[in-house]
């Protein structure tokens, strides 16, 4: 049995306030950077490699690790948050005032009611499926730290549990800044694999 471990770290607090933060490139606050330092220090074991979203709220901390720990890092576009289209980067309270019905429909069923010019949920999930399938193949048996975003982590948690199109993972699951979630992929001697989500 081969075990591949993925530690999924969400970025810390960001500048700009309560935004629909997808691909807009917004920096961490000082508090956000400190949150990630603390989360990294609490990892229960050393990791073999670090991969990051190229967006600055993730990349800045990944580059910090690389310089301090003398570790190589890589950036992967597939670790980006979902793209919210024309509304990406806009303030959520303002969007509720101007487009409340459309935004509510999206939160209730983002697969059926995408935002204007946004990335489809199915495309978002497919790019993450492709990424993790590649990771457990290329880095079988290793421990990886993926520095990424809330939507990415929520989908991969659902995937580990075998849950499909469950909006609650996106709208009702609290995932604080700099949270770290551990998921493990096991592959047996026959090549069959399964996921496990570790909690607590």
């Amino acid at each position: 049995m081969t075990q591949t471990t993925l530690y999924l770290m969400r970025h810390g607090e960001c500048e700009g306030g309560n935004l629909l933060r997808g691909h807009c490139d917004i920096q961490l606050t000082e508090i956000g950077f400190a949150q990630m330092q603390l989360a990294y220090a609490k990892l229960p074991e050393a990791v073999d490699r670090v991969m990051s979203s190229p967006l600055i709220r993730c990349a800045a901390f990944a580059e910090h690790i690389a310089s301090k720990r003398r570790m190589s890092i890589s950036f992967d576009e597939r670790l980006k948050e979902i793209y919210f289209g024309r509304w990406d980067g806009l303030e959520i309270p303002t969007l509720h005032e101007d487009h409340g019905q459309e935004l509510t429909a999206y939160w209730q069923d983002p697969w059926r009611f995408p935002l204007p010019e946004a990335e489809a949920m199915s495309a978002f999930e497919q790019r993450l499926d492709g990424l993790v399938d590649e990771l457990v193949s290329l880095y079988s048996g290793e421990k990886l730290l993926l520095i990424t975003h809330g939507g990415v982590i929520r989908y991969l948690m659902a995937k580990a549990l075998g849950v499909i199109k469950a909006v609650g993972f996106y709208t009702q699951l609290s995932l604080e800044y700099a949270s770290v979630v551990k998921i493990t992929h096991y592959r047996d001697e026959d090549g069959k694999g399964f996921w496990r989500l570790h909690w607590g």
Side-chain angles (χ1 to χ4, degrees), residues 25-192:
D25 219 2
I26 296 175
Q27 300 208 24
L28 295 168
T29 63
E30 289 184 12
I31 290 173
F33 193 87
Q35 289 169 333
M36 297 183 77
Q37 286 182 303
L38 182 60
Y40 183 78
K42 288 183 175 180
L43 287 178
E45 57 187 343
V47 296
D48 297 300
R49 64 185 69 245
V50 178
M51 301 183 69
S52 174
S53 160
L55 295 174
I56 195 167
R57 58 191 185 270
C58 297
F61 187 73
E63 289 168 349
H64 170 76
I65 293 174
S67 64
K68 292 293 184 182
R69 304 290 179 180
R70 296 183 180 178
M71 294 181 68
S72 63
I73 57 170
S74 58
F75 298 97
D76 196 304
E77 293 281 330
R78 292 171 292 180
L79 283 171
K80 283 183 174 181
E81 183 60 279
I82 193 168
Y83 176 52
F84 292 114
R86 291 206 312 264
W87 296 355
D88 205 295
L90 300 183
E91 293 184 350
I92 292 176
T94 301
L95 285 170
H96 272 295
E97 286 180 14
D98 298 341
H99 306 281
Q101 257 187 324
E102 300 100 306
L103 198 58
T104 297
Y106 177 74
W107 293 138
Q108 290 176 345
D109 192 342
W111 296 273
R112 287 183 59 205
F113 303 107
L115 299 181
E117 300 176 22
E119 180 179 13
M121 282 294 287
S122 57
F124 173 66
E125 294 171 347
Q126 284 170 14
R127 69 168 154 98
L128 292 172
D129 286 340
L131 172 65
V132 294
D133 287 350
E134 183 179 300
L135 293 181
V136 298
S137 176
L138 291 176
Y139 307 118
S140 178
E142 294 190 17
K143 300 173 183 67
L144 285 67
L145 173 62
L146 308 183
I147 303 175
T148 185
H149 307 269
V152 172
I153 296 172
R154 288 180 170 96
Y155 173 67
L156 294 179
M157 291 173 72
K159 179 181 177 68
L161 294 174
V163 178
I164 298 171
K165 291 188 177 182
V167 73
F169 274 91
Y170 296 99
T171 59
Q172 293 163 279
L173 175 66
S174 177
L175 191 67
E176 301 299 324
Y177 286 129
S179 294
V180 177
V181 173
K182 177 183 176 182
I183 61 173
T184 306
H185 184 266
Y186 297 91
R187 180 174 285 128
D188 64 21
E189 293 77 9
D190 297 326
K192 295 178 181 176

